[in-house]
Amino acid sequence: MTGLNSATVTVLGAAGIGAMTTVSGLAREVHTLGSVSKIRGALYLAGTLVTGVGLAWVGIHWSL
C-alpha cells in the first residue's frame, strides 16, 4: 500500500476484519430469526440498519 504507514495499515486491517465479523454475525442472526418468522427477521435487519446508521450520524455530528 503506497503512501500508508504501518499504523494506518494496522487500523484499516483491524477495521476490515471487524466489519466482516459484524456482517457475518448479523447475517447469522437474520437467518436464524428468518427461519422462525420472515417478518421477525426483516424487522430485526431493518431495525439494526436504521439504528446503526442513526447512531453513526449522531456520532459524526456530535464530534464536530
Side-chain angles (χ1 to χ4, degrees), residues 2 15 30 35 45 63-64:
T2 306
V30 170
S35 66
L45 178 60
S63 67
L64 297 177

Side-chain angles (χ1 to χ4, degrees), residues 18-58:
M20 286 191 298
T21 59
T22 299
V23 169
S24 67
L26 176 64
R28 185 187 68 241
E29 292 295 323
V30 170
H31 180 333
T32 301
L33 289 170
S35 66
V36 173
S37 167
K38 299 287 186 211
I39 298 295
R40 189 177 289 179
L43 286 174
Y44 179 78
L45 178 60
T48 300
L49 292 175
V50 168
T51 302
V53 170
L55 290 175
W57 181 86
V58 168

Side-chain angles (χ1 to χ4, degrees), residues 7-20:
T8 303
V9 172
T10 300
V11 169
L12 291 176
I17 298 297
M20 286 191 298

